[in-house]
Amino acid sequence: MTWKDIYESKLVTAEEAIKAINNGDKVVTGMGCGEPFGIQRALIENYQQFENVEIVNMLTLGDSPWLRPEMKGHFILNCLFASHSNRKEISNGKCEFTTSHFYEIPDVIKNYICPRVSIVMVSPPDEHGYVSFGTTVDYTRGTTDYCEIVIAQVNKYVPRTFGNCIKHVRDFTYFVEIDEPLPEVKGIEISNTEMEIGKHCASLINDGDCLQLGIGGIPNAVCAQLWDKKDLGLHSELVGDGVVDLLEAGIINNKKKQTHIGRTVLGAAFGSSKLNDYINNNPSVELHPIDYVNNPAEIAKNNNVVSINSCLQVDLLGQVVSDTVGLNQFSAVGGQVDFVRGATMSKGGRSIIAMPSTAKKGLISRIVPLITEGSAVTTPRNDVNFVVTEFGIAQLKGKTLKERAKALIKIAHPTFRPHLILEYKKRFNEEPFTREELKVMLGEVKEHIFDNIRNHN
Ligand code: COA
């Protein structure tokens, strides 16, 4: 049998493929830009055929139709990263959430959640009968190695990517051909605050460093500040469109890496067609499973790794909260701790946590005396080194409790510094700053108050 015969013998409709799913099954599906929406739609449309089927998905960029009231008793959603379409339901108990470092997720799914069925999205087969997992290799590819039933949506829009992300058609149970554009993460305009944060982060990045950047405004602002650097490397769990121009211009050329020299290493691509077109058939970009990409020991094989991640809150001890607001799950730890640790272990490496100094349109400070009750610490204080806001850089490793608190107060928004100073005095029974330092800091408070008045007039 040729590969074409094998492929054709497995080609079915989505309705036929989902008949392989039994009541009570656990079904793991691809995430992000690689979520197999075509097959998932068939499950939703035929929900009455199923009872208590658990859908395991890390992060959806779309809706979470599994949570509609009529799905009760038919589907349960278990996610590993909260998103806009399921955050509320995780908080009110209608959606399950499993917490794990990203590099451990393949093991957690395989050995603890134990799904029987895997549903993924792949590119059409090449001339040798190999399909590519395209934008999402992460935990997705691994599930096709051990699940009893493996169903793939074959979609011509899935880019053909290189690395450990191809599989022969013989290794799948069913193929369902549905072409549809991939979900996209569009670049948003970079704010002035993010631009300032980007400048401070860029000041910590040297020529030849190997970067981890996430997605969103801050990573894009960092990218915008890297045009005077050279020979940068990229080894990242996921990236967005922000890196494409730097890669095309050769600012990121991966020349100085110790592993995968000359190649970008990713676990997933979370961008628009700009990024997907760049990674399509591009041998200089490799996608690998996340237990490899995010393994701190693997990250640390490169020298001068700089990790840049964001957060929601930092307390005066340097404890970082990135994925919860009180008892509400906002996102997940993702690969934050994996890369903070990998960068710390890397020779010459640096980890950066970057965030705007305030949230809720400036009404609350992200630097706080105590983290909000109910919030979970995402990155422990012992792991954290550089914290960056639009007001500067606080370097925390090797600092005493008092020095940490003072460094963080200095990069808090001026409006909130007097309160933080009071809290410092209560905790340590001493003044944190000299009269001269206070004069400068309170001068900045006045400046901000005047700025605000001027902006309102
Ligand atoms: N208290 C209450 N609400 C807060 C808050 C705080 N301390 N800090 C932020 N918020 C609110 C914001 O106001 C915003 O609300 P809005 O949407 O109503 O305006 C919302 O929470 C999101 O904040 P924002 O800073 O805009 O989030 P973001 O989209 O930039 O994402 C993280 C930041 C930290 C949530 C995100 O980076 C994350 O999930 N990180 C953990 C995973 C990770 O680091 N992975 C590795 C890199 S991909």
Side-chain angles (χ1 to χ4, degrees):
M1 247 183 160
T2 66
W3 73 258
K4 280 187 185 151
D5 297 331
I6 297 172
Y7 179 71
E8 268 154 33
S9 71
K10 296 178 175 190
L11 205 52
V12 294
T13 63
E15 286 68 24
E16 284 165 334
I18 59 174
K19 285 188 186 141
I21 298 171
N22 298 331
N23 291 340
D25 266 349
K26 293 188 179 187
V27 177
V28 58
T29 66
M31 69 151 184
C33 301
E35 193 170 347
F37 285 120
I39 299 172
Q40 291 185 176
R41 269 197 308 277
L43 282 168
I44 291 295
E45 281 159 18
N46 296 283
Y47 70 95
Q48 280 167 328
Q49 285 177 27
F50 302 100
E51 274 173 37
N52 292 323
V53 170
E54 181 175 323
I55 304 295
V56 180
N57 178 283
M58 181 164 174
L59 169 60
T60 185
L61 296 172
D63 296 335
S64 296
W66 325 100
L67 300 173
R68 290 183 198 147
E70 66 271 26
M71 298 296 150
K72 196 161 185 241
H74 301 287
F75 293 114
I76 305 154
L77 176 61
N78 180 0
C79 27
L80 294 104
F81 201 108
S83 71
H84 70 281
S85 65
N86 51 44
R87 228 169 248 149
K88 205 169 83 216
E89 288 78 5
I90 294 171
S91 297
N92 66 24
K94 289 189 181 143
C95 178
E96 301 300 327
F97 177 81
T98 303
T99 182
S100 169
H101 294 304
F102 203 177
Y103 95 95
E104 277 189 282
I105 282 181
D107 178 54
V108 165
I109 295 179
K110 181 180 179 192
N111 294 314
Y112 294 89
I113 299 178
C114 309
R116 193 180 75 87
V117 181
S118 161
I119 305 181
V120 297
M121 187 153 71
V122 296
S123 70
D126 65 11
E127 66 267 36
H128 304 291
Y130 286 91
V131 296
S132 165
F133 287 81
T135 58
T136 39
V137 173
D138 46 66
Y139 66 86
T140 311
R141 186 197 185 285
T143 65
T144 63
D145 291 339
Y146 60 81
C147 281
E148 205 179 305
I149 305 287
V150 178
I151 304 171
Q153 175 177 343
V154 180
N155 183 350
K156 72 173 185 193
Y157 291 95
V158 172
R160 168 162 299 281
T161 51
F162 292 89
N164 188 355
C165 66
I166 54 162
K167 206 155 193 176
H168 197 268
V169 293
R170 74 173 79 88
D171 297 325
F172 293 80
T173 317
Y174 294 119
F175 292 105
V176 179
E177 288 181 345
I178 304 173
D179 292 329
E180 54 193 350
L182 309 188
E184 296 199 335
V185 182
K186 295 244 189 253
I188 38 167
E189 213 182 309
I190 304 170
S191 69
N192 290 341
T193 302
E194 287 166 341
M195 213 43 122
E196 287 307 306
I197 295 169
K199 281 183 201 159
H200 292 305
C201 290
S203 75
L204 293 167
I205 297 170
N206 303 319
D207 292 344
D209 284 349
C210 179
L211 307 181
Q212 175 250 334
L213 298 157
I215 51 168
I218 291 178
N220 286 350
V222 175
C223 287
Q225 300 296 331
L226 296 177
W227 286 92
D228 60 343
K229 310 280 178 195
K230 55 176 195 263
D231 296 336
L232 296 175
L234 187 58
H235 178 117
S236 214
E237 67 187 74
L238 40 97
V239 290
D241 288 354
V243 294
V244 175
D245 293 342
L246 291 167
L247 282 159
E248 275 177 343
I251 303 270
I252 302 176
N253 58 21
N254 296 299
K255 262 190 194 165
K256 297 279 162 91
K257 273 182 167 179
Q258 280 62 49
T259 65
H260 302 271
I261 298 163
R263 303 222 157 107
T264 289
V265 170
L266 305 175
F270 263 61
S272 69
S273 51
K274 177 174 178 171
L275 178 62
N276 295 344
D277 290 346
Y278 182 79
I279 63 176
N280 184 41
N281 268 323
N282 186 338
S284 76
V285 182
E286 293 184 1
L287 278 93
H288 289 270
I290 215 69
D291 42 348
Y292 174 79
V293 176
N294 278 32
N295 182 334
E298 205 54 49
I299 296 166
K301 285 184 183 165
N302 282 306
N303 295 339
N304 304 311
V305 173
V306 180
S307 70
I308 303 170
N309 291 292
S310 192
C311 76
L312 300 169
Q313 204 172 52
V314 179
D315 73 5
L316 288 181
L317 300 172
Q319 304 191 94
V320 168
V321 174
S322 309
D323 63 318
T324 50
V325 180
L327 287 174
N328 296 323
Q329 191 67 45
F330 185 82
S331 55
V333 53
Q336 182 164 122
V337 176
D338 304 342
F339 271 94
V340 165
R341 291 190 175 153
T344 306
M345 287 157 63
S346 145
K347 190 175 167 203
R350 277 138 283 151
S351 78
I352 302 172
I353 297 289
M355 58 168 185
S357 64
T358 62
K360 299 279 170 212
K361 298 198 166 79
L363 289 179
I364 58 171
S365 175
R366 296 197 195 220
I367 296 179
V368 287
L370 297 173
I371 61 177
T372 304
E373 192 178 354
S375 289
V377 171
T378 310
T379 304
R381 60 183 181 173
N382 302 323
D383 286 301
V384 179
N385 195 7
F386 293 98
V387 179
V388 170
T389 71
E390 68 275 28
F391 294 101
I393 303 169
Q395 187 275 309
L396 302 188
K397 272 193 193 274
K399 295 276 196 303
T400 65
L401 298 184
K402 292 176 192 171
E403 287 167 342
R404 281 169 174 255
K406 284 190 270 190
L408 287 163
I409 293 170
K410 281 185 183 164
I411 62 160
H413 192 284
T415 311
F416 297 99
R417 287 182 200 162
H419 171 65
L420 293 167
I421 289 171
L422 272 180
E423 291 296 322
Y424 178 103
K425 288 205 263 193
K426 268 198 247 163
R427 191 178 303 180
F428 297 114
N429 300 309
E430 65 175 38
E431 292 286 345
F433 301 111
T434 62
R435 273 173 171 277
E436 282 313 302
E437 282 172 322
L438 263 184
K439 244 194 211 162
V440 175
M441 289 175 73
L442 296 179
E444 281 179 39
V445 179
K446 270 196 213 147
E447 283 281 310
H448 273 270
I449 293 169
F450 289 138
D451 266 358
N452 281 344
I453 293 168
R454 271 195 294 269
N455 289 340
H456 277 92
N457 286 337

